[in-house]
């Protein structure tokens, strides 16, 4: 099993390699972003544009090591490079896709397909006209407090909580 220090070293090495590639490609010298494991939940990684920071989900990284090295870290760095080079752009727009495919040589996928059962919190069952949906505890609590209403993307009807 890989320990935290080994994960952080591998992430930092990958980040340095990708940043060097981007700096050469664009003839710039962007600073190395901060990288840490302060991300929880089902997201693999998140780029904080204004802070030049990348947060990774340590559990998902440990469980999907090679995919993080090959795709997740370049994915998040591509967000930072796109912001620094092009300015404010769509998160997975043409600029980001260009950096992923042409600069880093990685697939330009917007989402991961990792098994998140180990990091998924309690989920609540909701129903629309066409299917059932699982909502996170945060979304469930927002519904219960009257702060949010969620709709099915397919049939557009409001989701109704099914008490278990």
């Amino acid at each position: 099993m890989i320990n935290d220090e080994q994960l952080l070293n591998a992430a930092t090495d990958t980040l340095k390699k990708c940043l060097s590639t981007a700096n050469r490609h664009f003839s710039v010298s962007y600073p190395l972003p901060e990288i840490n494991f302060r991300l929880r939940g089902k997201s693999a990684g998140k780029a904080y544009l204004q802070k030049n920071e990348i947060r990774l989900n340590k559990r998902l990284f440990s469980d999907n090591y090679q995919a993080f090295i090959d795709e997740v870290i370049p994915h998040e760095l591509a967000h930072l490079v796109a912001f620094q080079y092009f300015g404010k752009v769509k998160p997975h727009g043409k600029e980001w896709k260009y950096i992923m495919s042409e600069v880093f040589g990685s697939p330009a996928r917007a989402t991961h397909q990792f098994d998140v059962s180990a990091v998924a919190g309690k989920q609540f069952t909701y129903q629309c006209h066409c299917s059932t949906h699982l909502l996170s505890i945060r979304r469930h609590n927002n519904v219960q407090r009257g702060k949010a209403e969620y709709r099915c993307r397919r049939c557009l009807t409001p989701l109704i909580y099914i008490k278990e």
Side-chain angles (χ1 to χ4, degrees), residues 27-81:
S27 299
V28 294
S29 184
Y30 294 127
L32 186 69
E34 177 188 345
I35 192 163
N36 60 58
F37 296 128
R38 289 187 292 208
L39 187 63
R40 294 190 177 160
K42 296 185 275 185
S43 294
K46 184 166 183 175
Y48 289 83
L49 306 178
Q50 311 295 341
K51 296 179 179 183
N52 197 35
E53 175 185 1
I54 293 173
R55 294 183 186 175
L56 300 175
N57 185 315
K58 182 173 65 174
R59 176 63 189 267
L60 290 178
F61 188 5
S62 181
D63 291 349
N64 304 278
Y65 179 84
Q66 199 57 52
F68 265 71
I69 298 299
D70 296 341
E71 295 184 43
V72 175
I73 294 168
H75 174 120
E76 299 309 330
L77 180 60
H79 286 300
L80 296 178
V81 171

Side-chain angles (χ1 to χ4, degrees), residues 82-100:
F83 176 70
Q84 292 171 356
Y85 191 78
F86 297 106
K88 189 174 181 182
V89 295
K90 290 183 179 179
H92 298 111
K94 65 183 179 186
E95 299 86 356
W96 176 85
K97 288 177 183 171
Y98 172 80
I99 294 168
M100 284 298 291

